[in-house]
């Protein structure tokens, strides 16, 4: 059994910064790619940022230059630093991880979601 536990998020004024953290725990052999997604009510979940086990990153065009994804492989953790936040960044943010479990199967896991609200 694997869990992804998120922390961070909250309320911030436009132009401000927030950081999100997510740590995986449980029966883990290897954490492969990790990422952050966001979803507004009634909308599809969309990719915000993605990072491979080797550290290669990609970002949604809407956040390039403002958000930075990073990870700590020793802690099975992924982070999202969000700067110059805009009202349109308001969403529920979800951590995602592709994990090789103790049975050597490969599984996709999601965090519980954390609300980010940017006031204009």
């Amino acid at each position: 059994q694997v869990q992804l536990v998120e922390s961070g998020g909250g309320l911030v004024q436009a132009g401000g910064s927030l950081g999100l953290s997510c740590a995986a725990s449980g029966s883990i052999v290897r954490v492969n790619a990790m990422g952050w997604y966001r979803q507004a009510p009634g909308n599809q979940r969309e990719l915000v940022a993605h990072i491979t086990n080797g550290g290669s990153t990609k970002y949604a065009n809407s956040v390039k230059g403002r958000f930075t994804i990073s990870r700590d492989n020793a802690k099975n953790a992924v982070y999202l630093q969000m700067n110059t936040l805009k009202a349109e960044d308001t969403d529920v943010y979800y951590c995602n991880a592709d994990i090789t479990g103790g049975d050597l199967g490969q599984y996709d896991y999601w965090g519980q979601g954390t609300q980010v609200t940017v006031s204009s």
Side-chain angles (χ1 to χ4, degrees):
Q1 190 77 357
V2 172
Q3 281 189 318
L4 296 185
V5 178
E6 302 176 20
S7 60
L11 174 64
V12 66
Q13 287 189 330
S17 298
L18 278 176
L20 304 180
S21 301
C22 172
S25 63
S27 180
I28 297 170
V29 170
R30 176 185 169 97
V31 179
N32 304 306
M34 303 185 84
W36 290 95
Y37 290 71
R38 63 188 182 188
Q39 185 174 25
N43 290 351
Q44 283 193 326
R45 196 168 291 186
E46 63 174 11
L47 175 70
V48 176
H50 177 273
I51 185 167
T52 67
N53 184 271
S56 297
T57 60
K58 67 177 179 183
Y59 296 90
N61 287 336
S62 59
V63 307
K64 281 181 182 176
R66 300 188 298 120
F67 290 12
T68 301
I69 188 170
S70 61
R71 64 188 287 169
D72 185 333
N73 290 336
K75 296 181 179 179
N76 291 334
V78 64
Y79 310 97
L80 186 68
Q81 179 62 37
M82 304 181 290
N83 298 327
T84 320
L85 282 159
K86 304 176 181 179
E88 51 264 42
D89 294 319
T90 295
D91 264 327
V92 178
Y93 285 68
Y94 295 90
C95 170
N96 173 262
D98 178 81
I99 291 175
T100 301
D103 62 356
L104 300 185
Q106 197 162 338
Y107 303 96
D108 193 52
Y109 291 96
W110 292 91
Q112 78 278 13
T114 186
Q115 177 70 46
V116 172
T117 302
V118 184
S119 62
S120 56

